[in-house]
Each structure stands twice: as structure tokens, then as C-alpha cells.
Amino acid sequence: MTAAAEENRPLVVAVIGAGPSGIYAAEALTVQSPGAVEVAVIDRLPVPFGLVRYGVAPDHHSIRSIRSTLERTLERPGVAFYGDVTIGRDLVIEELRGVVDAVVYAYGAGADRRLDIPGEDLPGSLGAPEFVAWYCGHPDAHPVAGPAPGADAVEEVDLGRTMIRLVNETTSAVVVGVGNVALDVARVLVKTADELADTDMADQVLESLTAKRITDVHILGRRGPAYTAFTTKELRELGQLPDLDLVVSAADLELDAASLVAVAADKVAARNVAVMREWAARPLTGASRRIHLHFWVRPVEIVGAERVSGIRLERTAISPDGYVVGTGETALLDAELVVRSVGYRGVALPGVPYDAGTGRVPHAEGRVIRDGEFSPDEYVTGWIKRGPTGVIGTNKSDAVETVASLLADVASGRLVPAGRSGELDSLLAGRGLSALDLAAWHRIDAAEVQLGLSHGRSRTTLASRDELLTAAQPPSGSERTDPRPELVHPHPELVEGPSTGSGSGV
Ligand code: NAP
């Protein structure tokens, strides 16, 4: 037994990011640790749950219900939620490392990947992370309290209102990429507001969708149907939407020799091809909306003068050395909205080791590598550890691996609890900052349920930060005092840049 364990000092760990990967790390720490452990789960957003709240599509009720399990972990003895605390603004990493025994980075991979083609910055061309943030009611996409769709549309800076205009001026949309996020985006684009009314979408989002005119959504795969990244359950869901034709050509679904090998080796790929073949064999019904699946095409230009009016596609093939190459044969597809859904990308958090090549924090089995050596007190889990892959549950085994490394380091005496209980609270209090705790989340939760019930829904997401902070207020007499609007960091030289979205893209 180590001296620290003998003295019964709790192990104090800060987890950055209150999405599934961070909360699974808190769970693994409290379940696996043989001694006392205190876990502070910190998020820059006022609310916990990261991607479960701000990434999983609102109409995926069963996946979103994982929230209850995550919430139970935040309620565990020894676990505390610290919402509305931005690392890199309110505290820098070095300060945080100075008041806890270990830090676990779990801040996700919230940024967009680009296509690097002409026209990509035209109004009407956007990344899936932005679009998903909008329809999930993320505060970054809703800086102004809603609802105000159609009221006026002057504020270009207001992503929420810009998005409303884009969606309402579109009849034909393109989604680039054949992963699960592309399916989420396509579904939300074709579904009517009535079909989405049983979700917890923010009022301003749902109301804006009532004016939507989209009839056609085109999903583009740069390789063949044997190489989709969809899971079959999510793909099949498209086929269950009423009044919708799925348009896919039988010729596009033919498999060359390499594709036959691919489907033989991958059951999911084989099932996906079978689902799409069944769709190709269905006669079109003349439904009022269509989802088109295109394979062997890649975008080479997004076309438009003031805004997107189309996308130029090039036919593709696989080169003998295995790369996707253009054949030179191009065609123009009319569209007013192009959403690139080609995967997420991790970003650097000021002061945290980061490999720009992989978009991840460098590590081995969750132990962070800083300046070529294992850092004694830094660990990483989730998308910022392994890249943006896997389903929500994948983060659980990932967190278990990281926590096993951390606890092995405690057992070996490499990481020694230093009796730091309460030091984070003292640091925050000394700076005049009051984090939002789980009780604040419960008040927000109750306010969202109440708002939903007031107009016949089971919950309505409060989207803007102001709305969330107002709902988080305790009953009068015990208001939160927090000087953040005027906050000037006491060590400006330590703040290397803006915060990077911890929690939003876990
Ligand atoms: P993803 O699964 O990695 O799919 C990205 C897609 O983009 C691939 O089809 C990829 O094609 C394509 N792509 C990449 N670069 C491209 C380019 N330059 N031009 C054209 N296409 C390009 O990413 P994702 O859809 O963002 O999903 C991220 C993770 O979240 C995945 O693990 C996913 O399963 C998970 N997720 C799960 C659910 C769910 O379970 N319901 C929902 C949403 C997300 P190539 O294969 O040719 O590279």
C-alpha cells in the first residue's frame, strides 16, 4: 500500500468534458478505484451530456435516453459536475493541473472536416457539425434566445437565423458523405415539423422547419455501395419514412471484384448493400419527397454567385494503388444547400499536447505524451483520444482503458494523491467563479420539461446560453454571483487562444 493510500487521501481527478466519454471516465474511476476518489467533471457549457444532447439526432429517442444513465453517474458519491467553466478562459490547464492529482481530457472532436474545393465558403455550404449543432439547439448555434423565425433575418452573425433562412430557401439539398451523421442530416432535412414534433427540438428550430420546402435530398458516396460507413439499422430507418421515395440506381449498386471481396469481409457492408438493392427494386410511388443515393461521385466545385445554386460532381474510380480518383466525367447537380458530412476533427485545447496530423491528443493506452515523454498526471479518452469513430457505447470501453492506466499509475506510485480535496473549489471561488452544479442542471431540466408541456410536447430544449443560465438560477434569495461578463484573466499570458468546444463534440 502506498503512503498516500495509508493516509487515506482521496485521489482528486478533473475530467474535461461532460459528454459520454468524460462521464464514462467518471464512472470507471468511481467503480474501479480501490480507494476514495473525487471526480470533477468540467464543461464549458451550462449543461452536461455533450454529444448525447448536442450530437445524437433529436428523433433518435432511445440513443438520447442514455442521458439518464449518464446522469446517474453524475449523481454518484464523489462525482461533481462543474458546468459553465471554460478551460483556456476561466482556468488554464496549468492552473487546473496545480489543484488536482490528475486530469483526463475528454473534450471530443467537435470541428468540421473540409472538402477543400472551390465554392466551399459560399452561403448555403456548411459542415455537418454546424448543422447538427443548430438542430440540436447548441448554444453556439443559438446565441440569441428564440423563437424568432421569420420575424426578420438581418443578423448574418446569428447562425440560428442564417440556418433558418438556408433551410427555408432550399428545395434540393446535398449531403456529402455516407456515414451515420449524413443519414441524420438527410432525415432531419426531409422530415416535416409534424414528424419532428415528438422530439425535444428547440422551439425556434421546430418552428422554422414548418416553413421548409425541401423535396429532394441527395447523399453522395465517393466510393461504391460496398464502402458505406452507415450502420444498417440507421440506413433501414430511411426506408420506413412515409411519403418518401428512395432513389438509387441498380447500376450504381453493381459490385466490382474488389467490392465483392469487401462485402464478403464485412457483414455490415453486405447488409447495407442488400437494403439498398431492395430499395432499387421498389417502384417509385410519386411521393412528395425523395432521398437519392449516389455512388462513385465526388464533389469538385460548389457552384453559385451569391449563394449555392449547385454542386459539380465528378465520376470516380479506385486507382490500382487503392486511392479514389476522378475519371474526368463531370455533371452539375442543382441544390441550394450543401452539407459536408465527411467526419469530425479534433482541435487543440490551449496548453494540451495535440497532434495536428491526427487531430488527437498523443497518448499510449490513455496516458498523455507531452514533449515526447509520458506526462505524470495527464490522461485522455473519447474522440480526442481515438478519433471520431464508434457509437456512444464505444466510449465506455475506451474510458475503462484510460482509467485502468491511471489507476495502475496510482498503484505503482507513479501518480501520488497529494491531498488536494477542495483546492479546485478554492481556486474557482478565489476567482469569483461559480460553476453550475447538478442541482442547476436539474432546474434547467425541469424548466425544459415545463416549457414543453406548456405547448403539448414532453420537453423543449432551451437553446441559448442566456436561457439556460436563467433556468439554472436557484430560487430567489440565493442567486448565483458570477462576474464572468467582466472577467479579466489574472494571467492573460497563459491563455493561448479561444476555448475549443469542450463537451460539444465528445
Ligand atoms: P464517418 O462514419 O467517418 O463517415 C464519414 C464519411 O465521409 C465516409 O463515408 C467517408 O467516405 C466520407 N468522406 C470523407 N472524406 C470525404 C471527402 N473528401 N469527400 C467525400 N466523402 C468523404 O463519420 P460520421 O458520419 O461523421 O460519424 C462519426 C461517428 O459517429 C461514426 O463512428 C458514426 O457511426 C457515429 N455516429 C453514430 C450514429 C448512430 O449510431 N446512430 C449517429 C451519428 C454518428 P470514405 O469511407 O470514402 O472515406
Side-chain angles (χ1 to χ4, degrees), residues 326-357:
T327 62
E329 184 193 337
T330 63
L332 185 66
L333 179 62
D334 290 339
E336 299 89 16
L337 181 68
V338 173
V339 184
R340 53 181 183 274
S341 178
V342 294
Y344 286 64
R345 185 173 52 82
V347 285
L349 190 64
V352 177
Y354 175 72
D355 178 344

Side-chain angles (χ1 to χ4, degrees), residues 51 55-57 60 63 113-115 128 176-184 220-223 227-231 234 297-299 324 341-344 383 388-392:
L51 211 59
V56 174
H60 276 173
I63 307 179
R113 288 183 60 206
R114 294 179 60 88
L115 297 168
V176 183
V178 286
N180 279 336
V181 171
L183 293 181
D184 286 347
L220 310 182
R222 64 176 170 177
R223 298 190 284 161
Y227 305 97
T228 55
F230 310 136
T231 43
E234 275 63 31
V297 284
R298 69 175 183 187
V324 178
S341 178
V342 294
Y344 286 64
W383 276 9
T389 59
V391 293
I392 300 285

Side-chain angles (χ1 to χ4, degrees), residues 20-59:
S21 63
I23 297 180
Y24 284 136
E27 182 189 14
L29 277 162
T30 49
V31 170
Q32 291 180 42
S33 175
V37 58
E38 291 176 10
V39 190
V41 184
I42 302 173
D43 206 292
R44 76 177 176 98
L45 296 173
V47 291
F49 312 125
L51 211 59
V52 168
R53 181 175 164 105
Y54 292 124
V56 174
D59 59 345

Side-chain angles (χ1 to χ4, degrees), residues 358-379:
T358 61
R360 299 181 219 160
V361 171
H363 74 97
E365 293 175 343
R367 292 182 178 94
V368 171
I369 299 169
R370 183 181 273 276
D371 301 328
E373 295 183 0
F374 283 121
S375 171
D377 59 340
E378 293 175 289
Y379 299 83

Side-chain angles (χ1 to χ4, degrees), residues 425-489:
D425 289 337
S426 302
L427 177 63
L428 291 172
R431 197 150 293 171
L433 299 174
S434 51
L436 292 173
D437 59 10
L438 205 58
W441 155 247
H442 288 145
R443 288 189 286 274
I444 293 171
D445 188 23
E448 291 190 335
V449 170
Q450 191 53 46
L451 180 62
L453 292 176
S454 70
H455 42 271
R457 303 173 66 201
S458 52
R459 166 191 292 276
T460 298
T461 296
L462 293 171
S464 76
R465 183 168 178 272
D466 284 351
E467 288 172 300
L468 291 167
L469 294 186
T470 302
Q473 283 289 329
S476 60
S478 51
E479 273 85 9
R480 177 181 185 232
T481 51
D482 186 319
R484 220 93 41 113
E486 292 81 45
L487 180 78
V488 177
H489 196 277

